PDB file of all heavy atoms in Angstrom:
ATOM      1  N   LEU A1379     -22.863 -15.341  -8.025  1.00  0.00           N
ATOM      2  CA  LEU A1379     -22.286 -16.648  -8.305  1.00  0.00           C
ATOM      3  C   LEU A1379     -23.112 -17.798  -7.728  1.00  0.00           C
ATOM      4  O   LEU A1379     -23.141 -18.879  -8.255  1.00  0.00           O
ATOM      5  CB  LEU A1379     -20.891 -16.699  -7.670  1.00  0.00           C
ATOM      6  CG  LEU A1379     -19.739 -15.849  -8.441  1.00  0.00           C
ATOM      7  CD1 LEU A1379     -18.519 -15.859  -7.612  1.00  0.00           C
ATOM      8  CD2 LEU A1379     -19.560 -16.431  -9.890  1.00  0.00           C
ATOM      9  N   ALA A1584     -26.429 -17.993 -15.161  1.00  0.00           N
ATOM     10  CA  ALA A1584     -25.085 -18.466 -15.418  1.00  0.00           C
ATOM     11  C   ALA A1584     -24.265 -17.332 -15.985  1.00  0.00           C
ATOM     12  O   ALA A1584     -23.118 -17.075 -15.711  1.00  0.00           O
ATOM     13  CB  ALA A1584     -24.982 -19.719 -16.222  1.00  0.00           C
ATOM     14  N   ALA A1587     -23.392 -14.890 -13.442  1.00  0.00           N
ATOM     15  CA  ALA A1587     -22.328 -15.274 -12.538  1.00  0.00           C
ATOM     16  C   ALA A1587     -20.983 -15.090 -13.216  1.00  0.00           C
ATOM     17  O   ALA A1587     -20.028 -14.549 -12.588  1.00  0.00           O
ATOM     18  CB  ALA A1587     -22.517 -16.732 -12.183  1.00  0.00           C
ATOM     19  N   VAL A1588     -20.847 -15.522 -14.442  1.00  0.00           N
ATOM     20  CA  VAL A1588     -19.628 -15.303 -15.148  1.00  0.00           C
ATOM     21  C   VAL A1588     -19.304 -13.812 -15.306  1.00  0.00           C
ATOM     22  O   VAL A1588     -18.183 -13.354 -15.109  1.00  0.00           O
ATOM     23  CB  VAL A1588     -19.681 -15.909 -16.570  1.00  0.00           C
ATOM     24  CG1 VAL A1588     -18.392 -15.638 -17.441  1.00  0.00           C
ATOM     25  CG2 VAL A1588     -19.830 -17.394 -16.502  1.00  0.00           C
ATOM     26  N   MET A1589     -20.343 -13.017 -15.598  1.00  0.00           N
ATOM     27  CA  MET A1589     -20.192 -11.616 -15.679  1.00  0.00           C
ATOM     28  C   MET A1589     -19.666 -10.971 -14.395  1.00  0.00           C
ATOM     29  O   MET A1589     -18.727 -10.099 -14.372  1.00  0.00           O
ATOM     30  CB  MET A1589     -21.573 -10.926 -16.042  1.00  0.00           C
ATOM     31  CG  MET A1589     -21.490  -9.421 -16.195  1.00  0.00           C
ATOM     32  SD  MET A1589     -23.176  -8.688 -16.266  1.00  0.00           S
ATOM     33  CE  MET A1589     -23.664  -8.823 -14.587  1.00  0.00           C
ATOM     34  N   ALA A1591     -17.819 -12.459 -12.004  1.00  0.00           N
ATOM     35  CA  ALA A1591     -16.477 -12.811 -11.763  1.00  0.00           C
ATOM     36  C   ALA A1591     -15.510 -12.043 -12.680  1.00  0.00           C
ATOM     37  O   ALA A1591     -14.537 -11.516 -12.306  1.00  0.00           O
ATOM     38  CB  ALA A1591     -16.248 -14.300 -12.046  1.00  0.00           C
ATOM     39  N   VAL A1592     -15.884 -11.872 -13.974  1.00  0.00           N
ATOM     40  CA  VAL A1592     -15.057 -11.127 -14.927  1.00  0.00           C
ATOM     41  C   VAL A1592     -15.047  -9.638 -14.540  1.00  0.00           C
ATOM     42  O   VAL A1592     -14.055  -8.969 -14.626  1.00  0.00           O
ATOM     43  CB  VAL A1592     -15.568 -11.332 -16.382  1.00  0.00           C
ATOM     44  CG1 VAL A1592     -14.817 -10.408 -17.341  1.00  0.00           C
ATOM     45  CG2 VAL A1592     -15.339 -12.786 -16.762  1.00  0.00           C
ATOM     46  N   PHE A1873      -8.033 -16.309 -10.297  1.00  0.00           N
ATOM     47  CA  PHE A1873      -9.211 -16.440  -9.471  1.00  0.00           C
ATOM     48  C   PHE A1873     -10.530 -16.268 -10.282  1.00  0.00           C
ATOM     49  O   PHE A1873     -11.433 -17.055 -10.180  1.00  0.00           O
ATOM     50  CB  PHE A1873      -9.194 -15.606  -8.256  1.00  0.00           C
ATOM     51  CG  PHE A1873     -10.466 -15.583  -7.413  1.00  0.00           C
ATOM     52  CD1 PHE A1873     -10.740 -16.604  -6.596  1.00  0.00           C
ATOM     53  CD2 PHE A1873     -11.376 -14.524  -7.507  1.00  0.00           C
ATOM     54  CE1 PHE A1873     -11.917 -16.658  -5.893  1.00  0.00           C
ATOM     55  CE2 PHE A1873     -12.490 -14.521  -6.780  1.00  0.00           C
ATOM     56  CZ  PHE A1873     -12.814 -15.590  -5.959  1.00  0.00           C
ATOM     57  N   ALA A1874     -10.548 -15.232 -10.997  1.00  0.00           N
ATOM     58  CA  ALA A1874     -11.699 -14.895 -11.813  1.00  0.00           C
ATOM     59  C   ALA A1874     -11.961 -15.969 -12.872  1.00  0.00           C
ATOM     60  O   ALA A1874     -13.078 -16.334 -13.127  1.00  0.00           O
ATOM     61  CB  ALA A1874     -11.539 -13.491 -12.492  1.00  0.00           C
ATOM     62  N   ALA A1875     -10.847 -16.455 -13.405  1.00  0.00           N
ATOM     63  CA  ALA A1875     -11.017 -17.539 -14.426  1.00  0.00           C
ATOM     64  C   ALA A1875     -11.650 -18.800 -13.794  1.00  0.00           C
ATOM     65  O   ALA A1875     -12.490 -19.460 -14.370  1.00  0.00           O
ATOM     66  CB  ALA A1875      -9.693 -17.938 -15.077  1.00  0.00           C
ATOM     67  N   ILE A1876     -11.182 -19.164 -12.608  1.00  0.00           N
ATOM     68  CA  ILE A1876     -11.675 -20.403 -11.934  1.00  0.00           C
ATOM     69  C   ILE A1876     -13.113 -20.230 -11.619  1.00  0.00           C
ATOM     70  O   ILE A1876     -13.924 -21.131 -11.863  1.00  0.00           O
ATOM     71  CB  ILE A1876     -10.809 -20.619 -10.655  1.00  0.00           C
ATOM     72  CG1 ILE A1876      -9.404 -21.064 -11.026  1.00  0.00           C
ATOM     73  CG2 ILE A1876     -11.503 -21.716  -9.815  1.00  0.00           C
ATOM     74  CD1 ILE A1876      -8.538 -21.208  -9.812  1.00  0.00           C
ATOM     75  N   VAL A1877     -13.475 -19.071 -11.066  1.00  0.00           N
ATOM     76  CA  VAL A1877     -14.904 -18.814 -10.709  1.00  0.00           C
ATOM     77  C   VAL A1877     -15.726 -18.788 -11.931  1.00  0.00           C
ATOM     78  O   VAL A1877     -16.894 -19.298 -12.032  1.00  0.00           O
ATOM     79  CB  VAL A1877     -15.034 -17.473  -9.964  1.00  0.00           C
ATOM     80  CG1 VAL A1877     -16.474 -17.108  -9.740  1.00  0.00           C
ATOM     81  CG2 VAL A1877     -14.303 -17.535  -8.616  1.00  0.00           C
ATOM     82  N   ALA A1878     -15.303 -18.193 -13.072  1.00  0.00           N
ATOM     83  CA  ALA A1878     -16.060 -18.177 -14.239  1.00  0.00           C
ATOM     84  C   ALA A1878     -16.235 -19.505 -14.857  1.00  0.00           C
ATOM     85  O   ALA A1878     -17.330 -19.883 -15.316  1.00  0.00           O
ATOM     86  CB  ALA A1878     -15.352 -17.203 -15.273  1.00  0.00           C
ATOM     87  N   LEU A1879     -15.203 -20.340 -14.811  1.00  0.00           N
ATOM     88  CA  LEU A1879     -15.303 -21.657 -15.290  1.00  0.00           C
ATOM     89  C   LEU A1879     -16.332 -22.522 -14.485  1.00  0.00           C
ATOM     90  O   LEU A1879     -17.108 -23.252 -14.989  1.00  0.00           O
ATOM     91  CB  LEU A1879     -13.901 -22.332 -15.275  1.00  0.00           C
ATOM     92  CG  LEU A1879     -12.890 -21.915 -16.365  1.00  0.00           C
ATOM     93  CD1 LEU A1879     -11.524 -22.535 -16.124  1.00  0.00           C
ATOM     94  CD2 LEU A1879     -13.404 -22.176 -17.756  1.00  0.00           C
ATOM     95  N   GLY A1880     -16.261 -22.255 -13.172  1.00  0.00           N
ATOM     96  CA  GLY A1880     -17.257 -22.928 -12.319  1.00  0.00           C
ATOM     97  C   GLY A1880     -18.667 -22.600 -12.620  1.00  0.00           C
ATOM     98  O   GLY A1880     -19.511 -23.403 -12.730  1.00  0.00           O
ATOM     99  N   ALA A1881     -18.948 -21.310 -12.810  1.00  0.00           N
ATOM    100  CA  ALA A1881     -20.228 -20.803 -13.105  1.00  0.00           C
ATOM    101  C   ALA A1881     -20.707 -21.395 -14.480  1.00  0.00           C
ATOM    102  O   ALA A1881     -21.850 -21.808 -14.655  1.00  0.00           O
ATOM    103  CB  ALA A1881     -20.307 -19.319 -13.170  1.00  0.00           C
ATOM    104  N   ALA A1882     -19.867 -21.368 -15.424  1.00  0.00           N
ATOM    105  CA  ALA A1882     -20.144 -21.857 -16.762  1.00  0.00           C
ATOM    106  C   ALA A1882     -20.365 -23.352 -16.720  1.00  0.00           C
ATOM    107  O   ALA A1882     -21.274 -23.914 -17.371  1.00  0.00           O
ATOM    108  CB  ALA A1882     -19.085 -21.503 -17.800  1.00  0.00           C
ATOM    109  N   GLY A1883     -19.588 -24.039 -15.906  1.00  0.00           N
ATOM    110  CA  GLY A1883     -19.836 -25.481 -15.700  1.00  0.00           C
ATOM    111  C   GLY A1883     -21.107 -25.871 -15.159  1.00  0.00           C
ATOM    112  O   GLY A1883     -21.770 -26.825 -15.563  1.00  0.00           O
ATOM    113  N   ALA A1922     -19.786 -18.662 -21.291  1.00  0.00           N
ATOM    114  CA  ALA A1922     -18.610 -17.943 -20.841  1.00  0.00           C
ATOM    115  C   ALA A1922     -18.336 -16.786 -21.674  1.00  0.00           C
ATOM    116  O   ALA A1922     -17.913 -15.735 -21.240  1.00  0.00           O
ATOM    117  CB  ALA A1922     -17.366 -18.964 -20.928  1.00  0.00           C
ATOM    118  N   LEU A1978     -10.753 -17.466 -22.039  1.00  0.00           N
ATOM    119  CA  LEU A1978     -11.756 -18.069 -21.065  1.00  0.00           C
ATOM    120  C   LEU A1978     -12.815 -18.851 -21.778  1.00  0.00           C
ATOM    121  O   LEU A1978     -13.043 -20.087 -21.356  1.00  0.00           O
ATOM    122  CB  LEU A1978     -12.364 -16.890 -20.196  1.00  0.00           C
ATOM    123  CG  LEU A1978     -13.339 -17.419 -19.185  1.00  0.00           C
ATOM    124  CD1 LEU A1978     -12.731 -18.362 -18.170  1.00  0.00           C
ATOM    125  CD2 LEU A1978     -13.926 -16.160 -18.486  1.00  0.00           C
ATOM    126  N   ALA A1982     -13.140 -22.879 -21.311  1.00  0.00           N
ATOM    127  CA  ALA A1982     -14.406 -23.388 -20.762  1.00  0.00           C
ATOM    128  C   ALA A1982     -15.009 -24.431 -21.725  1.00  0.00           C
ATOM    129  O   ALA A1982     -15.508 -25.575 -21.253  1.00  0.00           O
ATOM    130  CB  ALA A1982     -15.448 -22.250 -20.553  1.00  0.00           C
TER     131      ALA A1982
END
Side-chain angles (χ1 to χ4, degrees):
L1379 287 173
V1588 177
M1589 180 192 75
V1592 172
F1873 172 74
I1876 292 174
V1877 173
L1879 288 173
L1978 179 62

